[in-house]
Amino acid sequence: MIKRNRLLNRPPKSLEERYFTEIRPQLYENHAHHHQYGVRKGTTLAEHLDSACQFILTVSRIAEVPEDKRPLLLAATAVHDLNKLDTQGRNVKTLARNQEFLREQLEKACVLSFVVSKDDLELVRKLIERHSGHNVSDGARFLPEDPNIERWAAMLTAADLFDLGIPDAQRFRKLEKELTVAFGRSCNLFRISISEDKGYITALLLGACEEVLQKYGLNPLAIFPDGELFEGEALSNVDFTKEIAAVWQSKIDQVFGNNIERLVRATKDGIKVTHQAIQQNIEEVLVNVEALLDRKKAGYKSDKIAKDVTKWGEAAGADALIKAAELQLLPVNNAEEFAISEGLKAAYLSYREAGLSPKEVWDKIAHHTGISELQRTAIEPFNGQYGRPLFAAKAAVKGIEGIKEALQESFQLRKETTQISDETEVSEEMIAAVSRMVNLPFAIRLNGGNDLNAYVEANPRQRCSLGSTSTDIDELISDNMPPGTKVQAFSNRLPGGISAEPKRQADSIAALAYQLMAVGANFPAVKKQDPLYLHLALPKGSAPELLRIWRELLKQLAATNAEGGTVTVDELKLYKDNQLEFKANKVVGLALPKRPDFVHTSVIIPLVWGDVNNSLALLKSLRLALEISLSLDIGFAFTLSGNLEVEISANTVDDRIFGRVEGIPSALIRLLGNGQYKRFKKEETKEDKETLSAERILERLRCIGKLATSVASIQKADDCLYDLARACVRPIKLYYVLLRWTLREQDEPNLSVIWSRICEPLNTLLESFMPDENLLLTKYLKEAAQVAAEGKIWGSSFKRTAQAEPFTAFIAAIRSQKPYLGLDVIFAALVQQYHTRLDRIREHHVGATKYEQVKRYYELLRKLYEEVYSGRPEKFLSDQKTLEAAYLFFLEEARKQLKSQSEDDFVDTTTTV
């Protein structure tokens, strides 16, 4: 198993924290590859013990077990399957009564420290022995004992049954029976699940469900990637949909309440205010609008405004211009009037959002700003949104104050139109979204035919660019949509159409989900680039306490950047030492969530890498995703995607798929596989060679990171890493890339030193790609390098060109091969010529022994040429640089082995003497 990081490095404060920090990692170290059978087939013993331990921690807290006894319940649970820990096939009862064996297993699981006295050990024994449902079979049945033992044994039995591989209905009945004994009261289980995960908005929805159900006496029992399991005495037969929707709406409003400046935006069509901003604080919205008007005033450009005046004046006609001039409706000609005209436009847009007609809008604007009735009639021919503000600014005698009055009234109208009543304070749209997204106990289901009809009957121009086509569709510009969202209709690009940006159609909830992400994640201050999204899901059956610990960890990581921006990793430590050390960054890294309630069954972390190509961004993101998800104390399934939304099933470990990567480029498929990964290397099978393990992919990326930092500076490590990743299409090319980068960084590098740095990660990486299709090629090259090292067959110095001299002579001979000369003649000439060359450059003449060595050397190269390249010079010469680089590194390896052998022989001789 590869060495994995730990994310929870602080000293544990509670039993739960101690479990996740110390005990859980040890369970996976000991039993991650111990597979189970029967009804537990498909899970490892480590996963079963982990599930049971998390369950016992939750249940014992709900049942208010004394704090001095909870560690003993945890200790018993951590080793409760003693028969699976024994190599001799003995049963649980026998093993539980073997104190030496029991203590040994408790120590291996890091829980022996909980068992202080003999009484503690006896309690652990009783719980283990009774958990499987057997009757008490010793003399204890005739002696008085703590009546709580029966309750605690029922808890352990329920923990053992919790991950049983049977249908939920049967499993829940078994659990309810045991928990009724454990709690000493009636116990029923209720599960809620979500149909789609839209990120932060889904996390807020699950938080609202939890808040409402806890109000009705239900306790969270376990968390799943697609929902949550609750327990309680009973649940009244009521529909919680409206109440959950109200709490959900309030949670969303709280998020936007601190981000009004992001929801009041200046566009080329005027200042626009979103519905979420109005729901929060109208006074704060007005302050932001006034600030934008001041900015408009400061950016006044007379020539640009003159063009707009001409354009909209001509559109109204000469008669309208003359009549307007007579009533002092003159176009704006200074910055102050321009700011007023923009304020009029903002009021117009806001009133229109409230559903008023253009005539009704301008009647209200005229009333608030002091425009007379005659002037109001005179500006009627002008365009309501663009023309009238330009010509009515001088007539708005109340100025900015009048505009603020109009805006305030429009905001109030908009707020009233989105409320059902004072009682619910939530829209029908939110209620419908809750019914569609969450499966609740006793909830009244919506008719799915409505959504189907909306999709079938939708106007083609209203097909959604984001989300599903439904009855609630919003028209949004690109800033309110995820980067790269495509436009479905291009009608305004047809001849005669306007030149404005085409609108994107979006399901209102999907658009709101993106806007929540935009204001809720710590994105960098610079203009956002297309991020990759890392979806991390809590494992099936996670304890609610793990969610709390996970939230605290993310909050702690986000606090690394005190300014509230992205957090990145120290790449030098990551690439060289495989260590995760987070630090603040203004431009790149993880845009962690700003609020803990954005994290529930899963969390979405946008990853931004600045100005790099998509493949490099994918490599860096995947390395980080694997380091986090494979950490010993977290172990979260992950999905790496360019999409904000992914299927719920992609975040589970069903079918043993632990991680998924969407959109792998063809150049990286050899390195990264098909994008679906099992968790451990031992789960890979010969039958399914396509599905690799997350451990293997992490091992490969770690090797590439070490190679990149070994031959390139940290500033250029990313470029080198990308070249190495692409070279994995044909692993033999790695030698050429490494040599090229070495020569790029150093004119005359010491290849021996370089090889000592790269040989281990390079060999590990090459072994990962076995079986290697270049096996015969590397065999002959290595044998030739071995002969060269033994016979010192190289040039007159230790420079790179001299070391490769006999091999480059072979390449030159193939390049100049004549059709009338056979290979016998060519290689005979090579042997003779290079033997003569060695005789000339050596201090002492070389004889027949050296001749035989040179002959053996070129015989191996001839086999390489004939058997691997079929004697085809064009095929061989296309690989000449790759072969030369590989040969140089093989020569260094052969020298290293010879030196090691000579040192060993010297030690043996000295010892004998």
Side-chain angles (χ1 to χ4, degrees):
M1 181 184 293
I2 63 172
K3 184 179 179 181
R4 294 185 282 173
N5 283 298
R6 295 181 185 231
L7 295 178
L8 304 175
N9 296 317
R10 70 178 187 183
K13 298 178 182 178
S14 64
L15 180 63
E16 285 82 1
E17 289 186 6
R18 185 170 178 182
Y19 169 72
F20 288 109
T21 304
E22 301 172 2
I23 302 168
R24 185 175 188 255
Q26 196 61 44
L27 293 179
Y28 279 94
E29 287 278 8
N30 296 340
H31 312 298
H33 304 303
H34 185 151
H35 294 278
Q36 301 183 107
Y37 303 95
V39 289
R40 301 192 187 278
K41 184 178 181 181
T43 60
T44 62
L45 181 58
E47 290 170 328
H48 170 59
L49 294 176
D50 178 30
S51 170
C53 286
Q54 291 193 50
F55 189 85
I56 205 77
L57 286 171
T58 305
V59 170
S60 62
R61 183 175 289 276
I62 295 173
E64 299 180 350
V65 174
E67 286 301 318
D68 61 328
K69 299 299 182 184
R70 291 183 71 225
L72 298 176
L73 266 68
L74 178 61
T77 309
V79 298
H80 70 274
D81 280 337
L82 288 174
N83 57 318
K84 297 178 182 177
L85 307 177
D86 181 47
T87 56
Q88 300 178 28
R90 291 174 288 181
N91 61 35
V92 172
K93 185 174 74 171
T94 302
L95 295 170
R97 298 180 182 185
N98 184 334
Q99 288 194 11
E100 183 180 351
F101 179 81
L102 181 56
R103 282 185 174 275
E104 180 186 345
Q105 296 306 318
L106 289 170
E107 185 176 8
K108 285 183 179 179
C110 291
V111 291
L112 183 59
S113 59
F114 296 145
V115 183
V116 179
S117 63
K118 290 185 177 180
D119 290 341
D120 292 343
L121 187 64
E122 181 64 11
L123 175 58
V124 169
R125 179 196 71 79
K126 288 180 178 181
L127 294 175
I128 293 174
E129 187 173 335
R130 299 182 192 184
H131 89 273
S132 56
H134 298 301
N135 293 324
V136 182
S137 56
D138 58 9
R141 69 191 318 180
F142 303 111
L143 299 174
E145 68 174 6
D146 189 342
N148 286 317
I149 292 180
E150 184 180 356
R151 295 177 54 224
W152 299 339
M155 293 179 193
L156 182 50
T157 302
D160 188 40
L161 296 172
F162 183 61
D163 67 339
L164 207 60
I166 59 178
D168 283 353
Q170 299 177 31
R171 186 162 55 94
F172 285 175
R173 282 198 298 272
K174 291 177 180 289
L175 288 172
E176 288 170 346
K177 177 182 175 183
E178 298 299 333
L179 291 178
T180 297
V181 176
F183 294 145
R185 58 167 170 81
S186 171
C187 176
N188 294 284
L189 300 183
F190 307 94
R191 181 167 179 175
I192 64 169
S193 58
I194 53 174
S195 59
E196 50 191 343
D197 187 356
K198 295 179 180 291
Y200 293 173
I201 196 170
T202 305
L204 293 178
L205 174 56
L206 286 167
C209 292
E210 190 175 282
E211 187 175 320
V212 171
L213 293 178
Q214 282 182 310
K215 172 184 170 184
Y216 285 90
L218 300 187
N219 298 305
L221 196 60
I223 297 173
F224 295 83
D226 63 341
E228 196 163 357
L229 183 65
F230 294 83
E231 73 79 26
E233 289 191 59
L235 187 63
S236 54
N237 191 0
V238 296
D239 186 0
F240 300 112
T241 306
K242 185 176 290 187
E243 191 171 350
I244 289 173
V247 176
W248 187 30
Q249 178 70 68
S250 69
K251 288 179 177 291
I252 293 171
D253 291 344
Q254 288 170 18
V255 174
F256 284 117
N258 299 323
N259 294 277
I260 288 178
E261 67 279 2
R262 299 284 298 271
L263 304 174
V264 180
R265 299 168 33 259
T267 72
K268 63 184 184 309
D269 297 316
I271 297 171
K272 296 183 177 181
V273 181
T274 64
H275 161 70
Q276 289 81 17
I278 294 169
Q279 290 292 325
Q280 287 307 304
N281 189 330
I282 289 178
E283 294 302 324
E284 186 68 22
V285 173
L286 288 171
V287 170
N288 279 271
V289 172
E290 193 168 2
L292 290 177
L293 290 177
D294 288 339
R295 198 178 301 169
K296 291 276 188 182
K297 180 179 176 180
Y300 170 73
K301 294 180 181 179
S302 57
D303 53 344
K304 184 179 182 301
I305 300 305
K307 290 180 181 178
D308 289 342
V309 167
T310 302
K311 174 183 176 181
W312 298 110
E314 290 176 353
D319 292 341
L321 286 171
I322 294 171
K323 189 173 181 180
E326 291 174 354
L327 295 172
Q328 298 303 307
L329 293 170
L330 301 174
V332 299
N333 60 5
N334 58 52
E336 189 72 35
E337 292 173 358
F338 174 61
I340 293 174
S341 73
E342 287 296 311
L344 294 172
K345 191 188 295 185
Y348 175 86
L349 292 171
S350 185
Y351 273 123
R352 290 287 286 153
E353 287 292 324
L356 275 63
S357 68
K359 183 179 184 306
E360 292 172 332
V361 169
W362 273 99
D363 287 342
K364 288 185 175 294
I365 291 175
H367 170 72
H368 288 291
T369 59
I371 298 174
S372 68
E373 187 63 32
L374 288 175
Q375 290 172 326
R376 166 70 187 88
T377 306
I379 61 172
E380 190 67 32
F382 294 87
N383 179 277
Q385 181 175 346
Y386 302 101
R388 294 180 199 176
L390 291 172
F391 287 86
K394 288 183 183 294
V397 293
K398 292 186 180 180
I400 295 295
E401 291 303 318
I403 290 169
K404 288 170 67 176
E405 289 180 14
L407 284 168
Q408 191 155 16
E409 183 189 42
S410 69
F411 295 159
Q412 199 61 43
L413 287 172
R414 290 172 65 182
K415 191 171 184 179
E416 290 172 358
T417 56
T418 56
Q419 294 177 354
I420 305 172
S421 67
D422 293 336
E423 180 184 354
T424 59
E425 292 291 330
V426 63
S427 67
E428 287 288 356
E429 181 184 352
M430 298 299 286
I431 297 173
V434 172
S435 298
R436 186 173 66 248
M437 294 174 65
V438 187
N439 296 321
L440 293 165
F442 309 125
I444 299 173
R445 305 286 177 226
L446 289 182
N447 182 6
N450 293 338
D451 288 336
L452 181 60
N453 290 334
Y455 175 77
V456 173
E457 297 172 2
N459 186 316
R461 294 184 180 182
Q462 293 181 340
R463 295 290 185 197
C464 278
S465 304
L466 180 68
S468 58
T469 300
S470 65
T471 53
D472 301 311
I473 301 299
D474 291 336
E475 265 195 1
L476 301 172
I477 63 172
S478 59
D479 281 352
N480 281 342
M481 303 283 272
T485 305
K486 304 301 181 184
V487 185
Q488 298 296 329
F490 290 87
S491 59
N492 56 1
R493 295 298 194 207
L494 297 175
I498 63 174
S499 59
E501 180 188 49
K503 301 292 185 182
R504 285 138 176 92
Q505 310 289 339
D507 168 63
S508 55
I509 296 297
L512 181 60
Y514 170 70
Q515 291 163 17
L516 265 174
M517 175 68 69
V519 301
N522 284 297
F523 280 106
V526 296
K527 183 175 176 61
K528 289 204 301 289
Q529 297 159 338
D530 294 9
L532 283 170
Y533 296 101
L534 173 58
H535 303 252
L536 293 170
L538 268 70
K540 291 190 300 184
S542 294
E545 192 66 15
L546 176 59
L547 174 59
R548 183 192 64 78
I549 294 171
W550 179 224
R551 283 173 169 172
E552 285 186 5
L553 173 62
L554 291 177
K555 183 179 179 181
Q556 177 187 338
L557 291 180
T560 305
N561 193 333
E563 298 179 1
T566 48
V567 173
T568 190
V569 292
D570 187 323
E571 292 193 340
L572 185 60
K573 289 189 176 181
L574 181 63
Y575 290 159
K576 282 194 171 183
D577 305 322
N578 300 325
Q579 292 182 4
L580 280 178
E581 184 172 308
F582 295 93
K583 60 182 183 179
N585 194 288
K586 294 183 179 180
V587 181
V588 300
L590 300 87
L592 295 164
K594 294 178 180 178
R595 299 166 62 99
D597 49 357
F598 288 153
V599 183
H600 207 92
T601 60
S602 64
V603 61
I604 298 179
I605 303 176
L607 302 170
V608 185
W609 296 112
D611 188 19
V612 299
N613 64 51
N614 294 334
S615 296
L616 182 56
L618 179 67
L619 289 169
K620 290 162 73 74
S621 299
L622 182 56
R623 173 70 188 277
L624 198 54
L626 290 168
E627 294 285 2
I628 293 173
S629 65
L630 284 176
S631 59
L632 282 169
D633 42 12
I634 294 297
F636 290 173
F638 74 93
T639 298
L640 186 63
S641 171
N643 298 318
L644 182 60
E645 299 179 35
V646 295
E647 294 182 13
I648 298 296
S649 59
N651 284 338
T652 68
V653 291
D654 291 340
D655 302 324
R656 310 305 301 159
I657 296 300
F658 177 75
R660 300 174 191 267
V661 179
E662 297 180 358
I664 296 179
S666 58
L668 300 181
I669 286 179
R670 181 67 194 277
L671 172 68
L672 303 181
N674 62 4
Q676 296 193 20
Y677 309 127
K678 298 177 181 179
R679 186 170 186 178
F680 301 114
K681 282 200 285 189
K682 287 191 176 181
E683 292 180 326
E684 298 174 356
T685 59
K686 294 181 179 180
E687 296 77 18
D688 185 9
K689 295 181 181 179
E690 297 296 321
T691 304
L692 302 173
S693 66
E695 273 191 348
R696 184 173 296 279
I697 300 300
L698 178 58
E699 180 184 70
R700 290 178 178 179
L701 293 178
R702 281 182 172 182
C703 290
I704 289 178
K706 282 190 177 180
L707 291 173
T709 50
S710 296
V711 299
S713 61
I714 190 61
Q715 293 82 4
K716 298 179 182 177
D718 283 345
D719 294 335
C720 181
L721 185 142
Y722 177 58
D723 287 347
L724 289 168
R726 294 181 62 196
C728 290
V729 172
R730 191 178 176 213
I732 191 70
K733 289 187 176 180
L734 287 167
Y735 293 100
Y736 171 64
V737 173
L738 289 167
L739 181 62
R740 187 183 65 187
W741 271 94
T742 300
L743 296 175
R744 183 182 295 181
E745 296 288 315
Q746 307 172 42
D747 292 334
E748 286 296 335
N750 186 330
L751 290 181
S752 178
V753 173
I754 296 295
W755 177 251
S756 67
R757 294 177 188 166
I758 68 173
C759 63
E760 183 181 348
L762 180 59
N763 289 334
T764 303
L765 182 60
L766 292 172
E767 287 173 8
S768 176
F769 290 111
M770 295 299 285
D772 190 357
E773 70 273 12
N774 297 310
L775 194 59
L776 197 60
L777 184 152
T778 54
K779 174 179 178 292
Y780 287 136
L781 268 183
K782 286 181 178 180
E783 288 180 1
Q786 188 69 34
V787 172
E790 293 171 356
K792 298 183 179 180
I793 304 174
W794 53 71
S796 56
S797 71
F798 279 93
K799 291 185 177 181
R800 174 181 59 88
T801 51
Q803 297 298 300
E805 189 179 85
F807 192 82
T808 53
F810 163 56
I811 294 173
I814 298 300
R815 185 186 296 112
S816 59
Q817 179 182 357
K818 300 295 188 292
Y820 54 84
L821 291 178
L823 290 179
D824 291 339
V825 175
I826 292 173
F827 280 93
L830 264 175
V831 173
Q832 185 61 50
Q833 289 169 4
Y834 205 75
H835 182 262
T836 303
R837 163 73 175 160
L838 290 176
D839 185 59
R840 189 170 68 252
I841 64 177
R842 295 287 189 265
E843 292 182 4
H844 305 285
H845 290 290
V846 296
T849 302
K850 186 66 66 179
Y851 183 87
E852 290 301 321
Q853 289 175 329
V854 174
K855 183 178 179 182
R856 172 63 181 157
Y857 177 82
Y858 281 114
E859 282 176 352
L860 289 169
L861 294 184
R862 179 173 180 176
K863 287 183 178 180
L864 168 72
Y865 181 60
E866 289 183 320
E867 296 181 24
V868 178
Y869 292 97
S870 306
R872 295 171 57 186
E874 72 283 354
K875 188 177 179 183
F876 170 79
L877 292 174
S878 66
D879 271 356
Q880 59 176 333
K881 292 182 178 180
T882 298
L883 295 174
E884 182 182 346
Y887 171 77
L888 283 169
F889 286 123
F890 291 158
L891 182 60
E892 293 298 334
E893 178 66 15
R895 280 204 190 110
K896 182 180 176 182
Q897 291 175 356
L898 283 176
K899 184 179 179 181
S900 177
Q901 288 174 6
S902 63
E903 289 176 352
D904 291 343
D905 292 343
F906 176 77
V907 171
D908 290 343
T909 304
T910 305
T911 304
T912 303
V913 173

